[in-house]
Amino acid sequence: MKPTSSSQERDRIPRPPAPRDAEQTGREEGPRRPRLERPDTDDILQRMRRVDPDQARRYRQRTGQ
Amino acid sequence: MERLFGLETEYGLQVDGDAEADMVAESLAVVRAWNPDDSDPSWDYASEDPRLDLRGFRVDRPHADAEIQQETRHLRPEQVEANQHGDRILCNGARLYNDHTHPEYSTPECARLFDLVASDRAGERIMLECARRRTQARSSGRLRLFKNNTDFKGHSYGCHENHLIGRQIGFDQVVAGLVPFLVTRQIYTGAGKVGLEGESGPPGACYQLTQRADFFRTLVGIDTMDRRALVNTRDEPHADPRRYRRLHIITGDANMSQFATALKVGTLALVLELLQAGAMPDIRLLDPVTAFRAVSRDPGREWPVPLEGGGHSCALDVQQCLLHAVSAYSAGRDAETDWILHHWQAVLEELGRDPQQLVGRVDWVTKEWLLQRFIAAEGLDWNDPQHLGWLQSQDLQYHSIDPAEGLYRGLEAQGVAWCLVAEDRCRRAVAAPPGDTRAYFRGRCLERFGAAVRRLTWDRIELELDAGLVSIDLSNCLATSTVAAYNRAVDQADSAENLISVLHNLEPPAAGDRTGLAPPQEHDT
């Protein structure tokens, strides 16, 4: 799962010299991280168990754009 | 130049409990369900030419003709007529219609990112209501809609981004500058997909970043259904063609995440500004089409991209490089720009450190996180074909727009997924257009003087008055001052005739503008 950084032989495109200070950016306009540090997954797992296992097999579409 | 962008989303549809349902008829019926009255003004197709190519010529090739014919080949004769009258042009400035047998919602033109997110979400609300009405009207079965891009069997449908840019920049420059960005942005814009479509992929690649990467075959081209290209060349600016291009980006996934939608459109807007300033870094990928698919399918998440000349980089480093260049050019311009830059940087850092921190923001990460939990809870195996089918069903359910059953919607309700705009704002966007673009003029014109509107398109409204037909040309109604004057006029006029009179008396538009009244165009129909 770890992307890229271990490949020593790679011809790297230069990264930014230093990260910009996040506090200097327009954070007040952005979203807030949800308060749930460890979300309870029981509800969503219940929802997943109700999904018809065959619904993707039956799902047929015509090509769009 | 002011930013102006929009999204057009084709929805997938399924009727539970009716295996014989005619999906062409259902798509038409879903659109008409919003307003069953066919007396709505017509969409003005006469001003559109899908063969005009941004490279400066008119396409005349057999497969282009076939694609154009494909638009109607699934329709029975009575459906052709219904399709021609099937467009619903909404008072919120949006367009709802049947496109290639998929109900499609095109947002109004937006100048602000969060307005676009609200408009996109308003589209989901409208589609959900259409599905509910269609289900009620049917004798049996329940119609469901999915905001995704594949049926897992080789059929894809799009979520296209539109950005207005200046005409002065050469199209070759657009392609060269845009391609490295489009190929690599999927690491935060991808919606995730269980399985591969098309030719076989690398061993172990059961889950990939994007829904769309399997369907692109060439670098540049006008086709959108068969030989899809990374850079689409259809030349329909929906604005003054001497001054503007509309970049029609077809590589992106339909995002459930508001955050991903905002970052997808926002980063592209900033990259286009850099491109127009001539300050793009010189990054040349060896084989962009192959890289687009390979990055999506890479099970190791290293995302390598071979460069021209023999070297290698990776998607994350290409994005870091572009972020650096954009930051140097755009940082501090306004709050929206800084919001985009801040979150672009944060997302790239998390992708390099711990992608799971992006659950609730990046769709492919969120979907994979859900699937892993489900696999662990149910004892499933990625390599078991039966289990893979069940996981594809979960993938599909992730994209259900029904808050009562959709998986992403469930995460939103739990507070796991980030919401950028309040539901109240989305609800308002169902009825009201954004106030600072020509979409407001179009929407309010329909709302107030709809009986006089005979037909319209994005940049032209034709009114039928006692004195005859009058066409309002909005092809240069783009600058802030012009938009404000037009939008004031449509609010203050007390009749369609008065509106025309007020527009006649407006200050002359800026040099080069030709916004204003024009004789109606000749139509074949």
Side-chain angles (χ1 to χ4, degrees), chain A residues 1 3-4 10-13 15 17 29-31 34 36 40 47-49 53 55-56 59 61-62 64-65, chain B residues 10 13 99 102 144 151 153 156-157 224 301-302 312 314 317 339 351 378 393-394 397 406 414-415 418:
Chain A
M1 291 286 284
T4 72
R10 183 168 294 146
D11 296 335
R12 285 191 170 280
I13 289 173
R15 285 173 177 256
E29 293 241 335
L36 296 168
D40 174 12
R47 192 176 277 223
M48 295 176 87
R49 288 189 184 103
Q55 74 166 357
Y59 185 66
Q61 302 293 297
R62 293 189 190 278
Q65 297 208 68
Chain B
E10 296 174 0
L13 67 170
D99 195 9
H102 292 271
R144 302 163 69 209
D151 69 352
K153 300 169 187 69
S156 185
Y157 35 97
T224 54
R301 307 280 159 77
E302 297 250 330
H312 277 75
C314 68
D317 284 0
W339 185 92
L351 284 168
E378 299 298 315
S393 293
Q394 301 295 346
Q397 196 77 355
Q414 281 191 307
W418 288 30

Side-chain angles (χ1 to χ4, degrees), chain B residues 27-239:
Chain B
S27 177
L28 287 166
V30 165
V31 170
R32 296 183 69 194
W34 184 247
N35 176 11
D37 181 358
D38 277 344
S39 64
D40 274 9
S42 304
W43 188 255
D44 185 357
Y45 285 98
S47 62
E48 297 182 358
D49 185 350
R51 292 183 187 167
L52 272 186
D53 194 293
L54 280 169
R55 290 166 287 185
F57 52 84
R58 194 166 184 278
V59 174
D60 189 15
R61 294 175 309 201
H63 66 87
D65 291 343
E67 180 165 308
I68 292 164
Q69 287 168 4
Q70 199 164 342
E71 293 193 21
T72 54
R73 75 186 172 95
H74 299 306
L75 303 177
R76 298 193 303 270
E78 68 275 18
Q79 290 175 331
V80 171
E81 187 174 353
N83 195 42
Q84 286 169 348
H85 300 286
D87 286 70
R88 296 292 180 262
I89 304 119
L90 278 54
C91 293
N92 68 357
R95 180 187 178 201
L96 177 61
Y97 70 119
N98 171 58
D99 195 9
H100 299 90
T101 71
H102 292 271
E104 173 166 328
Y105 184 84
S106 297
T107 68
E109 308 94 316
C110 295
R112 296 169 196 272
L113 204 49
F114 286 12
D115 278 347
L116 183 65
V117 173
S119 296
D120 185 52
R121 190 58 170 251
E124 291 182 33
R125 283 176 165 268
I126 287 167
M127 284 295 191
L128 185 65
E129 176 60 17
C130 288
R132 188 190 66 78
R133 292 178 188 178
R134 178 57 190 153
T135 296
Q136 275 191 338
R138 290 179 53 87
S139 56
S140 65
R142 183 169 75 101
L143 193 137
R144 302 163 69 209
L145 292 174
F146 299 94
K147 192 186 183 193
N148 72 341
N149 303 105
T150 183
D151 69 352
F152 309 102
K153 300 169 187 69
H155 304 109
S156 185
Y157 35 97
C159 175
H160 300 171
E161 302 144 71
N162 297 301
H163 290 253
L164 198 70
I165 64 170
R167 196 90 191 180
Q168 72 280 7
I169 184 169
F171 189 66
D172 288 348
Q173 285 175 270
V174 173
V175 174
L178 211 50
V179 162
F181 173 74
L182 292 178
V183 166
T184 55
R185 69 171 183 164
Q186 59 180 294
I187 59 177
Y188 53 87
T189 63
K193 180 167 78 175
V194 176
L196 310 177
E197 292 168 280
E199 74 274 30
S200 60
C206 294
Y207 183 78
Q208 58 176 315
L209 302 191
T210 81
Q211 302 237 311
R212 290 279 275 177
D214 288 341
F215 301 101
F216 285 78
R217 294 290 174 269
T218 186
L219 184 66
V220 176
I222 201 167
D223 305 318
T224 54
M225 296 178 72
D226 183 18
R227 291 163 41 82
R228 293 186 185 89
L230 296 182
V231 181
N232 179 258
T233 57
R234 184 174 289 190
D235 191 4
E236 284 180 345
H238 300 315

Side-chain angles (χ1 to χ4, degrees), chain B residues 499-515:
Chain B
L499 173 62
I500 298 302
S501 173
V502 172
L503 293 180
H504 267 303
N505 292 325
L506 283 181
E507 291 287 317
D513 280 5
R514 57 179 185 85
T515 306

